[in-house]
Amino acid sequence: MRRYRWWIGGGALLLVMGLVAVFVFSGPGNPPAPPRRPGPPGTGPLTIVTVGDSTLSGEGAGDYTADTNGTNGDWCHRSPNAAVFETDVPGIAAKVNLACSGANAEQVALGDVKQYGEPSQAGQLAALVRNHRVAAVVIAVGANDDPHFSELVSDCFQSWFVSGNVPCNTAIKTTWQSRVDAMVPKVVAAVTDVKKVLAQAGYLPEDYQLVLQSYASPISPDIPANLQNLNGCPFRTEDLRWMRDQGVPALSAGMARAAAQTGARFLDLSRAGLGHEACTGGADPGKEWFSRLTLQLNDLADAQRASHALQESFHPNANGQAEIGRCLTEFLASATVSAACLSGSDGKLHPAASLAAPR
């Protein structure tokens, strides 16, 4: 089993161990090998970085940075409440969020594909490592590729809204697995490019942690009937049940396959929201970890902002991002290759045995 550690205050010890190895294992006439460096190469603060889509950008958590809240057409919606800023890993001095709402795997990978005018996230990472020592990269991407998860949610809303429509899952489930299968190589390519960037900067695999994170089901079929409307979560119960019990788990299983193919650790979020999904709190939305149907009325008066007025809906809110950040913190400190974020006896998210396995 691989073991993971942080490089805090251990440089002197590692140097002594390296020198001992030189004297013990260097034969006559063989130049001594330099001692193994303690952790990531380069200079700058030890840093954790997130790349990917809305799950990590902080969509739904509010307080977006001004430059990613519509300025010059940038709607990446990076929030100071995003999960990366809720992590608490000893020795980590900097936390950087490169994720962008709506990003697909090509925008994370190296290349010319942009999202809201922003260049490749792997390319941005290449610039970052010039003055940061990256100890961990967390990636969440793929849902905006072939699965088109946001479109799935929109289709299910229309199924509820238009009288006489059949449940949205009737059509979606016939192609869902093939769409997940088509997504996997694209996620693999994006993760591979992240690894390439770090390798070109002199990083060895043991110098940093690489985590691929999956997606949570944002809405439960167990929500109160009086909130299955425009005041909360306008969806059919049977569609929500399919999404929670089949759609999201299949998506996570695909992500697990991509993690296995790239050597990344895997953090399964498919059951992370159980009991705390949007609208489960009834009259008390403060108990929920996901945003309900959210309409920014002020944006409707601005033609450039109107099309983004619903963008925050059904994403981890600030409470949810805090819980994901806690689970991620504990996962990074563990030695397990894969785990699932599940509610513990204290009602908070903790990493447990993984639910999604490669198929």
Side-chain angles (χ1 to χ4, degrees), residues 51-58 99-104 108 121 140-144 215:
V51 301
D53 55 32
S54 58
T55 300
L56 288 175
S57 75
C100 179
S101 186
N104 61 17
V108 170
Q121 291 179 34
V141 73
N144 294 315
Y215 300 89

Side-chain angles (χ1 to χ4, degrees), residues 12-346:
L13 176 59
L14 288 174
L15 179 59
V16 170
M17 293 175 65
L19 291 174
V20 170
V22 167
F23 286 113
V24 173
F25 297 107
S26 295
N30 294 324
R36 183 73 179 88
R37 62 174 177 261
T43 59
L46 277 179
T47 305
I48 180 172
V49 184
T50 47
V51 301
D53 55 32
S54 58
T55 300
L56 288 175
S57 75
E59 183 73 77
D63 301 323
Y64 310 111
T65 60
D67 60 325
T68 65
N69 193 26
T71 301
N72 298 320
D74 190 328
W75 291 93
C76 284
H77 270 182
R78 295 195 186 98
S79 171
N81 303 313
V84 66
F85 302 114
E86 298 294 339
T87 58
D88 185 17
V89 179
I92 292 295
K95 304 170 184 179
V96 178
N97 185 7
L98 300 178
C100 179
S101 186
N104 61 17
E106 280 191 299
Q107 200 270 327
V108 170
L110 294 169
D112 298 325
V113 175
K114 296 183 178 182
Q115 173 67 6
Y116 295 132
E118 292 204 2
S120 157
Q121 291 179 34
Q124 294 180 57
L125 177 63
L128 182 72
V129 296
R130 296 171 189 163
N131 51 21
H132 288 71
R133 300 174 68 223
V134 174
V137 181
V138 183
I139 305 171
V141 73
N144 294 315
D145 287 277
D146 299 82
H148 298 294
F149 193 78
S150 61
E151 292 181 19
L152 177 157
V153 173
S154 178
D155 289 346
C156 290
F157 164 69
Q158 292 181 46
S159 175
W160 169 87
F161 189 75
V162 179
S163 177
N165 274 9
V166 297
C168 72
N169 77 86
T170 301
I172 293 170
K173 65 185 179 184
T174 62
T175 60
W176 185 244
Q177 188 58 55
S178 63
R179 289 159 65 179
V180 170
D181 292 342
M183 170 201 74
V184 172
K186 297 175 182 178
V187 174
V188 168
V191 176
T192 299
D193 276 359
V194 169
K195 294 172 64 178
K196 179 180 179 180
V197 163
L198 293 172
Q200 290 176 338
Y203 283 67
L204 300 178
E206 58 265 33
D207 287 334
Y208 66 99
Q209 295 198 49
L210 179 65
V211 176
L212 184 60
Q213 176 180 293
S214 72
Y215 300 89
S217 184
I219 323 167
S220 168
D222 304 321
I223 59 177
N226 65 346
L227 285 177
Q228 287 181 267
N229 52 44
L230 294 176
N231 291 322
C233 299
F235 301 96
R236 294 170 181 256
T237 299
E238 56 265 52
D239 289 333
L240 295 178
R241 183 170 293 110
W242 177 86
M243 187 185 302
R244 184 193 67 183
D245 297 343
Q246 298 178 51
V248 170
L251 180 61
S252 280
M255 301 292 290
R257 286 160 49 200
Q261 292 177 35
T262 55
R265 302 177 73 196
F266 178 62
L267 190 59
D268 181 2
L269 264 61
S270 63
R271 293 292 187 267
L274 286 180
H276 296 277
E277 300 99 329
C279 296
T280 54
D284 185 7
K287 297 179 180 178
E288 299 163 10
W289 296 348
F290 296 82
S291 58
R292 301 180 178 187
L293 181 66
T294 303
L295 174 64
Q296 296 296 340
L297 291 173
N298 292 337
D299 287 351
L300 296 179
D302 185 331
Q304 294 183 340
R305 302 182 68 87
S307 62
H308 298 275
L310 292 169
Q311 187 171 317
E312 296 176 88
S313 304
F314 311 116
H315 286 85
N317 58 24
N319 292 336
Q321 291 286 344
E323 292 298 326
I324 294 170
R326 175 186 291 104
C327 185
L328 179 59
T329 295
E330 295 180 11
F331 182 59
L332 288 171
S334 75
T336 56
V337 174
S338 63
C341 290
L342 300 175
S343 290
S345 58
D346 58 358

